[in-house]
Amino acid sequence: ASTTMPLATLAGHTQGILSIDWCPHDDTLLLSCGKDNRTILWDLSSLQPIADVPNDNADDANGGSSMPTMGGLGTSQQKRYDVKWSPLQRGVVSTCSFDRKVQAHSVIGLASKAARPPKWLQPASGVSCGFGGTVVSFSSTHKTVKVESVVEQPDLKEASLQFEYATYNNEYTGFCRSMATKAAEFENAQELQVWGYMQIIFEKNAREQLLQYLGFDPVIIAQKANEFGEKKDDIASLSLEETSKSRVPPMSKEAEDTVKQALVVGNFEAAVECCMRSGNLADALLLASCGGADLWAKTQAEYFARETKNRPFLAIVSAVVTGQLERLVADSNPTQWQETLAILSTYGTSEEFPALCLALGDRLEAAGDLPNASLCYMCALDLGRAAKYWRIQLEKANKAKGETDILALHDLVVKVTVFMQAMDSKTELDPEIAYLFTCYAKALADQGSFQIAAKYCKGTSQEAKELRHRLYYSKDGHACAAVMGSAPEFPFSRKTISAAPARTVQQTPSATNGTSRAHTNTANQNAYAPQQQQPQTSASSSLPSGWTKLIDPSSGREYYYNQTSGETTWDMPRAVKSVTPAAPQQSYQQQSYATETHHQASAMQQPAVQQQEQVQQPATNVNAASKTPCKLASKYGDGFVSSASHPELAQQYGNHGTSNAYRGTARPGAAAVLKTAKAPVSGGFDSKTLVLQAEYEPIRASMMNLVGKLSTLCVTGNDKRQLSEIEKGIAVFLKRLSRGDIDSEIASMVGTMISALENRDYVTATGIQTSLVNSDWRDHKDWLKGIKFLIQLASKKL
């Protein structure tokens, strides 16, 4: 390093530097103030200024200009001569100015506008968690950003993967067998039964497998019956007398004769009745089989009613013979539910078996045996009732753990998933089960298993819709799309937000037919005024006929509207007495006096910036009186038309106040000029809803583009105020352009000026603006001021 050569040079001040201070908390930030009344924050890493610390007092005092204002402080009295950084409070600076003020400013927002944040805002490390267990981290000691996937529930991820691998080929029978074996190893009898029944559902001969699982093996039972039939020793050891005693008592002689006579005449019903009364039930059944179906059914019912109490197995025979298995279920013993289920499996038809199993499950649930009732519901293939007990198990597990037991939730989802494979594919999940599936899918998504999560994200709840949408657009979106089959619906409702519809107003037609273009624009612009504000009758009593007082909605000011001609004015109109001239000399004197009086009144009441003057020409003249002197001379028949008789020429040549034209055609050869002011044009609008001619659309687009660029570059208070004036001026210009208040020649000049600004040709733009100010300031000063600020700010910022 050499003391003769600077390490760096910062250029930004236009006048001498008064104070400079280095930031104690960030060695790349510097603050300086100078005689140009600028306080600049510098970025030493780029050797460029970041922003200006606002000087509000100076801006308020002189409106952003360098000239002192009357009654305020001059710029030299408000200059800052010292700046200091706070050694303790980071991002706070103090400034001292010649107006005896010490101000403290926070420059954190300004410092953040640099390409990097200040050092006191730079964290040494950071971490952010994303969807699917993704974690992004960084530290100041490494130049890389780490993106990792964190698995919070490794047991859940492993269990889900094992289930997917086990059922990949739809081998659910083998999976149920393995789960039953696992339950047997852990000596969990209930889980063993659940997976045992689940396995039976997938078997081809499920009824036979169910009988065997319930402990009723037909082969073993037949073998026992054969062995029992081969034991004849007990019967042989019985004596003849014991055998006769064990038999039914013989029928009496009288009973035998009655039965014989009934048979002779073919009355089997009487014969059966005689046998039943004598206690010979077997003979009654034998005779009933020959007497027809009705007699047979009646005899069977009587037989079962008498013998079921002594022989319980006859209840089964009765239910099977009569086809009343529902009654068998209703009268069954809940503790012997397995025997009842076996009977239903043996004798129930395919159509009635599910309903019988549901009835048996309801009976067990009413008796408080919910686990075995769940097994009966499984046999009926009723997922909703079968999963009721599984949900109770999950709730108990969650309560015992104090939070959601994710592995217990996994077991429930596995059971439901396997059970659904044996059911109709169109079966929809119960809302409670669907919610549990959504929770399970969310837990899998948090572990990064997006594809598996997409498989179990079921239901129509808002949570399920949002999760499906996130999975579909995740990093594994292609795999999730293959599982889902189609793109999920957008989970949120769409609402179209647009501008409020424009209010429809009814325009008041003009009463005159021979008005000029300026008069027509004035009438069209203000025709809606009576619709917006009701006339104030109390204040209108002193007004001339046809006039009424209204309130301008944009400014709140009062103005006056002529309901007949459509004319508006800010000043209260006065009733003018009609004077008929006796001679030309007298008429001229009255005219001069009226002109001087009108000129004095106009000088005392100057219109505001937004006020505009409109020229109304008499209805009795030609349709459009020319503005050029040659045409005016041809109209009056000679070439000596002076400004004394035509105020429009007086305006053109600058000799105002020398004449006061009569209203109407009271004086021959004098054109009546009525100075009126329209309601002000507001400085706010929606540029998209404003309708312009096609040839003016490029002007609007270029103006909006310039304002958009400047709005991002204006940081000081003075710049923002100038930008506000620019926006107001452009709004007024475009509104008047849409209404036809601006000539095409002026609009063309403005278009050329805006094109020059876009090309950074500020000399041409300034020349056009100066020309417009010199020639059309009075009629267009409401927007020319904003155009001036536009050129100034663009030349400084763009």
Side-chain angles (χ1 to χ4, degrees):
S2 173
T3 57
T4 60
M5 296 295 294
L7 297 177
T9 301
L10 305 177
H13 287 282
T14 58
Q15 298 183 28
I17 309 298
L18 295 177
S19 178
I20 192 171
D21 193 31
W22 216 306
C23 180
H25 306 111
D26 190 342
D27 52 7
T28 62
L29 295 179
L30 194 69
L31 194 66
S32 66
C33 67
K35 294 181 180 180
D36 55 358
N37 203 17
R38 292 185 64 189
T39 305
I40 302 178
L41 179 65
W42 299 88
D43 182 9
L44 299 183
S45 60
S46 62
L47 302 180
Q48 296 293 329
I50 299 175
D52 284 34
V53 178
N55 190 349
D56 295 334
N57 289 337
D59 293 337
D60 296 338
N62 54 30
S65 65
S66 60
M67 298 296 295
T69 58
M70 182 177 298
L73 295 173
T75 306
S76 60
Q77 294 177 280
Q78 298 166 343
K79 289 181 180 178
R80 293 170 176 165
Y81 63 87
D82 186 63
V83 291
K84 290 292 183 182
W85 288 87
S86 171
L88 300 177
Q89 193 69 29
R90 299 177 180 181
V92 176
V93 299
S94 65
T95 61
C96 299
S97 58
F98 288 107
D99 57 356
R100 303 180 301 277
K101 288 184 179 180
V102 177
Q103 295 178 326
H105 299 267
S106 174
V107 297
I108 295 178
L110 299 178
S112 302
K113 293 182 179 181
R116 52 172 187 76
K119 285 187 177 180
W120 64 81
L121 294 180
Q122 297 179 5
S125 60
V127 62
S128 179
C129 299
F131 180 59
T134 303
V135 178
V136 181
S137 61
F138 69 91
S139 64
S140 58
T141 58
H142 296 84
K143 297 182 179 180
T144 58
V145 176
K146 295 182 180 179
V147 181
E148 302 174 319
S149 295
V150 178
V151 179
E152 298 181 272
Q153 300 284 348
D155 296 339
L156 171 63
K157 187 169 185 178
E158 182 180 359
S160 63
L161 290 176
Q162 289 180 355
F163 176 62
E164 296 300 319
Y165 293 150
T167 58
Y168 179 75
N169 294 324
N170 296 328
E171 185 59 35
Y172 292 100
T173 304
F175 176 77
C176 294
R177 187 182 300 109
S178 64
M179 293 298 294
T181 303
K182 184 178 179 180
E185 293 176 357
F186 286 94
E187 297 181 355
N188 191 335
Q190 182 61 34
E191 288 295 306
L192 177 62
Q193 281 189 323
V194 170
W195 289 110
Y197 277 70
M198 199 84 74
Q199 178 184 349
I200 292 172
I201 295 175
F202 290 96
E203 298 289 349
K204 295 182 179 180
N205 51 346
R207 295 282 192 93
E208 297 178 4
Q209 295 292 333
L210 179 60
L211 287 175
Q212 292 183 359
Y213 191 83
L214 291 172
F216 299 96
D217 191 343
V219 177
I220 297 177
I221 293 175
Q223 184 178 357
K224 287 183 177 181
N226 293 333
E227 291 176 357
F228 181 80
E230 291 175 355
K231 292 182 179 180
K232 301 179 180 179
D233 296 339
D234 296 336
I235 298 177
S237 61
L238 292 175
S239 62
L240 183 59
E241 294 180 356
E242 292 175 350
T243 303
S244 61
K245 290 180 180 180
S246 63
R247 295 171 60 188
V248 178
M251 188 181 298
S252 64
K253 181 64 175 175
E254 182 180 1
E256 288 182 0
D257 293 340
T258 304
V259 170
K260 185 187 297 184
Q261 293 175 2
L263 291 176
V264 170
V265 297
N267 191 347
F268 286 93
E269 184 176 358
V272 170
E273 183 66 22
C274 184
C275 292
M276 294 292 290
R277 290 186 178 183
S278 62
N280 294 279
L281 300 181
D283 296 335
L285 289 172
L286 181 61
L287 294 175
S289 63
C290 301
D294 295 338
L295 181 60
W296 172 250
K298 180 179 178 181
T299 306
Q300 278 185 340
E302 183 67 21
Y303 174 76
F304 289 136
R306 291 188 180 187
E307 296 295 324
T308 299
K309 295 181 180 180
N310 300 326
R311 301 176 182 180
F313 69 88
L314 290 179
I316 301 175
V317 179
S318 175
V320 172
V321 172
T322 59
Q324 296 180 353
L325 294 177
E326 297 87 353
R327 184 176 180 181
L328 174 67
V329 172
D331 297 337
S332 63
N333 187 354
T335 59
Q336 298 178 356
W337 66 271
Q338 293 177 329
E339 180 179 301
T340 305
L341 182 59
I343 295 171
L344 300 179
S345 177
T346 302
Y347 297 103
T349 63
S350 300
E351 291 77 13
E352 62 183 0
F353 180 71
L356 294 173
C357 292
L358 288 177
L360 180 59
D362 292 340
R363 179 164 177 76
L364 294 178
E365 185 176 358
D369 191 359
L370 190 57
N372 292 326
S374 176
L375 298 177
C376 295
Y377 294 142
M378 290 178 62
C379 294
L381 296 181
D382 192 321
L383 175 60
R385 298 186 182 184
K388 182 178 180 180
Y389 176 67
W390 303 340
R391 292 201 306 270
I392 294 176
Q393 286 182 308
L394 175 62
E395 292 172 358
K396 290 181 179 179
N398 294 340
K399 186 176 181 181
K401 192 174 182 178
E403 58 180 0
T404 301
D405 192 334
I406 198 65
L407 292 180
L409 178 60
H410 168 75
D411 292 340
L412 182 144
V413 171
V414 169
K415 293 175 184 176
V416 174
T417 303
V418 174
F419 191 77
M420 288 182 64
Q421 299 303 316
M423 300 173 60
D424 188 0
S425 58
K426 297 181 180 179
T427 302
E428 295 183 359
L429 291 177
D430 182 82
E432 295 182 0
I433 298 297
Y435 172 74
L436 294 176
F437 266 68
T438 301
C439 296
Y440 180 71
K442 187 177 184 303
L444 289 176
D446 291 339
Q447 316 312 314
S449 302
F450 293 151
Q451 185 176 0
I452 303 177
K455 179 180 178 181
Y456 296 102
C457 187
K458 302 180 182 296
T460 57
S461 63
Q462 182 65 23
E463 294 83 356
K465 292 179 180 179
E466 293 180 11
L467 181 58
R468 277 197 295 270
H469 190 266
R470 296 192 69 178
L471 292 172
Y472 186 81
Y473 291 100
S474 65
K475 62 180 181 179
D476 296 338
H478 294 290
C480 295
V483 174
M484 296 179 183
S486 60
E489 62 176 322
F490 188 70
F492 306 102
S493 58
R494 292 182 173 90
K495 293 185 178 180
T496 303
I497 301 177
S498 58
R503 180 172 52 183
T504 303
V505 295
Q506 182 177 2
Q507 296 185 349
T508 303
S510 177
T512 59
N513 298 324
T515 57
S516 63
R517 182 178 64 85
H519 184 195
T520 303
N521 292 335
T522 304
N524 291 338
Q525 177 182 347
N526 299 280
Y528 64 90
Q531 303 294 335
Q532 294 180 345
Q533 183 74 21
Q534 295 297 329
Q536 300 179 4
T537 56
S538 60
S540 300
S541 58
S542 61
L543 295 175
S545 176
W547 287 90
T548 182
K549 183 171 70 173
L550 300 174
I551 302 297
D552 178 52
S554 60
S555 63
R557 294 180 57 189
E558 296 179 350
Y559 70 99
Y560 302 90
Y561 172 74
N562 192 316
Q563 298 177 343
T564 303
S565 63
E567 177 186 346
T568 59
T569 179
W570 291 107
D571 302 326
M572 179 182 293
R574 302 291 182 182
V576 180
K577 297 182 179 180
S578 177
V579 179
T580 304
Q585 292 80 4
Q586 181 182 1
S587 178
Y588 176 77
Q589 294 174 359
Q590 293 175 353
Q591 178 186 1
S592 301
Y593 176 78
T595 302
E596 293 175 359
T597 305
H598 176 72
H599 180 70
Q600 293 174 2
S602 300
M604 296 177 63
Q605 298 180 355
Q606 294 293 335
V609 176
Q610 291 80 7
Q611 298 177 5
Q612 301 179 15
E613 298 178 352
Q614 280 291 351
V615 179
Q616 179 181 6
Q617 299 185 1
T620 59
N621 290 340
V622 184
N623 185 26
S626 175
K627 297 181 181 180
T628 60
C630 61
K631 293 184 178 181
L632 290 172
S634 63
K635 175 180 178 182
Y636 293 104
D638 59 72
F640 299 96
V641 180
S642 65
S643 61
S645 62
H646 199 283
E648 188 172 356
L649 292 179
Q651 296 174 7
Q652 180 176 353
Y653 294 108
N655 52 350
H656 296 276
T658 60
S659 65
N660 183 26
Y662 286 90
R663 293 179 182 270
T665 57
R667 177 182 178 183
V673 179
L674 177 63
K675 295 183 179 181
T676 59
K678 297 185 300 183
V681 180
S682 62
F685 74 108
D686 186 356
S687 63
K688 296 182 179 180
T689 59
L690 196 63
V691 179
L692 293 178
Q693 297 181 13
E695 58 181 324
Y696 298 143
E697 286 294 340
I699 299 178
R700 170 166 57 180
S702 300
M703 285 183 169
M704 294 298 102
N705 185 29
L706 288 173
V707 172
K709 291 181 180 179
L710 292 176
S711 62
T712 60
L713 300 175
C714 296
V715 294
T716 64
N718 186 29
D719 291 344
K720 291 180 178 179
R721 278 185 284 275
Q722 287 187 357
L723 181 62
S724 177
E725 291 293 334
I726 292 171
E727 292 175 347
K728 186 187 300 182
I730 290 177
V732 174
F733 171 77
L734 293 178
K735 280 186 175 180
R736 293 188 59 184
L737 188 62
S738 66
R739 297 173 182 176
D741 292 347
I742 298 178
D743 294 336
S744 59
E745 182 180 356
I746 297 178
S748 177
M749 295 176 66
V750 173
T752 305
M753 179 180 60
I754 297 299
S755 299
L757 286 178
E758 289 184 327
N759 297 327
R760 294 182 172 84
D761 187 1
Y762 304 116
V763 176
T764 301
T766 303
I768 297 175
Q769 189 266 344
T770 303
S771 176
L772 289 174
V773 169
N774 294 335
S775 60
D776 300 281
W777 172 256
R778 189 189 64 178
D779 295 334
H780 302 287
K781 57 187 175 183
D782 51 355
W783 56 270
L784 279 174
K785 181 181 178 181
I787 297 299
K788 177 183 177 182
F789 284 128
L790 175 63
I791 297 174
Q792 292 178 353
L793 198 59
S795 61
K796 184 170 65 174
K797 297 294 182 179
L798 297 181

